[in-house]
Amino acid sequence: MSDDGHEHNGHEHVPSRQRTRFPGISSRAYEHPADRSALVALRKLSGFDAVFKALSGLLPERSLRLLFLSDSVRVSDQQFTHLNDMLRDACYILDLEKVPPMYVNQDPQPNAMCIGLDEPIIVVTTGLVELLDEEEMRAVIGHEVGHALSGHAVYRTILLFLTSLAVRVAWIPLGNLAIMAIVTALREWFRKSELSADRAGLLVGQDLRASMRGLMKIAGGNHLHEMNVDAFLQQAEEYEAGGDLRDSVLKILNVLPRTHPFTTVRAAELKKWAESRDYQRIMDGHYPRRTEDKDTSVSDSFRESAAHYASHVKSSKDPLMKLVSDLAGGAGDLGDRVRRGFSGFTGSAPPKDRPPTDQPPTDQPSTDQPSNDTPPRDED
């Protein structure tokens, strides 16, 4: 649906409203610090674009374009007109001059992506179109347009190619390890780029509740009446703060193969950014322009990224991050804290402090022995 308030294809009618536009906005305005520093550095590399364009002959980009053109529905004035209106609105709001082609692909799995080396293309699945309402879908399309504006489509395509290549050369030990190291690094960057694109989606939709609803539906399906935004955000807080060092390690292992952060984490991060001064400044018209991108300092961007991570570690409630923060602050007793944190892996209670060496041990019965209700050893 466009801002004129017209209803399209039976989708829920929502009141028209004027949305703020951001002429000349640079993607640096909404990019996550880790995403921004990587992109600034890559853009500064001489010949970087030429190298990736040269790779285009090796990548399946042409095949993908032909596949979507031949076996999906291209969004236009004649097909999926309500999506076409939202796509044009998103490009207008973020001042993206060339509207990327968008396709609807038959797939019950809710998903969307922006790929391409020469030109970005946006693909949304029927599962996503059927799951989300008008304003939720607007945020998703804004998310994908944010990817296009940031240039993420290029690196996303490279990631897809390298992941496929890693499978093909799995029989070569060193070759596979080298490629998977690159893939792991790219996935870490791409997870941060998803947080950037979530922010772009909010700038386009300008409705935090719709963005939250969309993320909840992606996590729990089309049962909005059974879900609650506050409870959903509490899950993110529990995920971050809960458990011990074992859980911290398991979180890292769980997220390593993923290209997207977990949905509750995305919702919490977006809400935090929406309440920040940075977001309000953008809405007030104070944001970096694309004309200033060429003057951006790589070192300044890396410093901002480092400062963000330092602040994240300091404020995090995750047991591992708290341990790192304490060590950085000079806190001692590392060995005992690590033993206590990982005690569950051994199935026994953590050892207590031993009596001072200059005093003989007492003859009193020890209270430090594992009790009979000690949890069994973890099998995995």
Side-chain angles (χ1 to χ4, degrees), residues 307-367:
H308 168 81
Y309 275 112
S311 175
H312 173 71
V313 169
K314 187 175 182 180
S315 62
S316 176
K317 299 177 182 178
D318 180 83
L320 181 58
M321 293 297 101
K322 289 173 69 175
L323 176 62
V324 171
S325 179
D326 289 346
L327 291 177
D333 202 16
L334 171 63
D336 182 63
R337 293 186 62 177
V338 171
R339 283 194 299 271
R340 285 188 283 113
F342 287 102
S343 62
F345 281 131
T346 63
S348 61
K352 303 291 185 180
D353 292 335
R354 295 179 178 177
T357 55
D358 58 346
Q359 298 179 5
T362 66
D363 292 332
Q364 297 297 324
S366 172
T367 59

Side-chain angles (χ1 to χ4, degrees), residues 67-68 71-73 80 103-113 123-132 137 156:
L67 178 63
F68 290 127
D71 205 31
S72 301
V73 176
F80 288 101
Y103 294 89
V104 176
N105 179 246
Q106 169 61 30
D107 186 344
Q109 181 71 26
N111 198 11
M113 62 180 174
V123 181
V124 297
T125 65
T126 51
L128 190 68
V129 174
E130 293 164 3
L131 177 66
L132 304 182
M137 194 69 199
R156 171 67 170 175

Side-chain angles (χ1 to χ4, degrees), residues 47-59 117-118:
F48 172 78
D49 289 340
V51 171
F52 275 99
K53 292 293 175 63
L55 282 174
S56 63
L58 302 175
L59 300 176
L117 289 175
D118 294 324

Side-chain angles (χ1 to χ4, degrees), residues 115-380:
I115 60 172
L117 289 175
D118 294 324
E119 293 181 358
I121 60 174
I122 296 172
V123 181
V124 297
T125 65
T126 51
L128 190 68
V129 174
E130 293 164 3
L131 177 66
L132 304 182
D133 69 22
E134 200 78 26
E135 293 304 295
E136 295 158 7
M137 194 69 199
R138 186 185 296 275
V140 168
I141 292 177
H143 173 112
E144 299 306 326
V145 170
H147 277 314
L149 182 58
S150 288
H152 292 157
V154 173
Y155 316 115
R156 171 67 170 175
T157 306
I158 296 294
L159 176 58
L160 290 173
F161 169 71
L162 289 177
T163 303
S164 174
L165 183 62
V167 174
R168 296 178 186 178
V169 300
W171 60 276
I172 307 177
L174 294 180
N176 183 51
L177 288 175
I179 293 175
M180 287 311 300
I182 298 173
V183 167
T184 299
L186 275 174
R187 281 175 176 160
E188 168 59 19
W189 160 76
F190 200 80
R191 286 190 290 269
K192 297 301 185 291
S193 78
E194 286 299 313
L195 300 179
S196 299
D198 283 342
R199 297 174 179 183
L202 179 59
L203 291 176
V204 167
Q206 297 171 27
D207 185 345
L208 180 61
R209 291 175 300 175
S211 295
M212 294 289 106
R213 291 198 310 268
L215 289 169
M216 281 200 308
K217 284 184 176 181
I218 290 173
N222 193 16
H223 303 281
L224 197 59
H225 63 287
E226 298 283 356
M227 295 183 281
N228 178 277
V229 171
D230 292 334
F232 190 65
L233 292 172
Q234 286 174 5
Q235 290 181 226
E237 186 174 349
E238 181 179 345
Y239 171 79
E240 180 183 4
D244 51 25
L245 291 178
R246 293 174 301 163
D247 297 296
S248 298
V249 173
L250 292 174
K251 291 175 190 176
I252 295 172
L253 295 177
N254 285 341
V255 81
L256 277 179
R258 296 174 60 92
T259 56
H260 289 57
F262 292 113
T263 318
T264 57
V265 175
R266 290 173 62 184
E269 287 286 336
L270 184 60
K271 185 174 185 292
K272 186 186 305 180
W273 187 71
E275 295 171 348
S276 70
R277 184 181 178 187
D278 290 340
Y279 174 72
Q280 191 56 55
R281 283 179 58 81
I282 295 174
M283 297 303 297
D284 291 339
H286 304 294
Y287 51 82
R289 262 66 175 179
R290 276 169 239 164
T291 53
E292 305 164 354
D293 284 351
K294 62 182 182 298
D295 301 321
T296 305
S297 167
V298 176
S299 59
D300 288 346
S301 297
F302 276 115
R303 277 195 293 269
E304 291 177 11
S305 179
H308 168 81
Y309 275 112
S311 175
H312 173 71
V313 169
K314 187 175 182 180
S315 62
S316 176
K317 299 177 182 178
D318 180 83
L320 181 58
M321 293 297 101
K322 289 173 69 175
L323 176 62
V324 171
S325 179
D326 289 346
L327 291 177
D333 202 16
L334 171 63
D336 182 63
R337 293 186 62 177
V338 171
R339 283 194 299 271
R340 285 188 283 113
F342 287 102
S343 62
F345 281 131
T346 63
S348 61
K352 303 291 185 180
D353 292 335
R354 295 179 178 177
T357 55
D358 58 346
Q359 298 179 5
T362 66
D363 292 332
Q364 297 297 324
S366 172
T367 59
D368 297 340
Q369 297 299 322
S371 62
N372 293 331
D373 59 350
T374 300
R377 179 185 179 92
D378 291 337
E379 296 296 330
D380 55 354

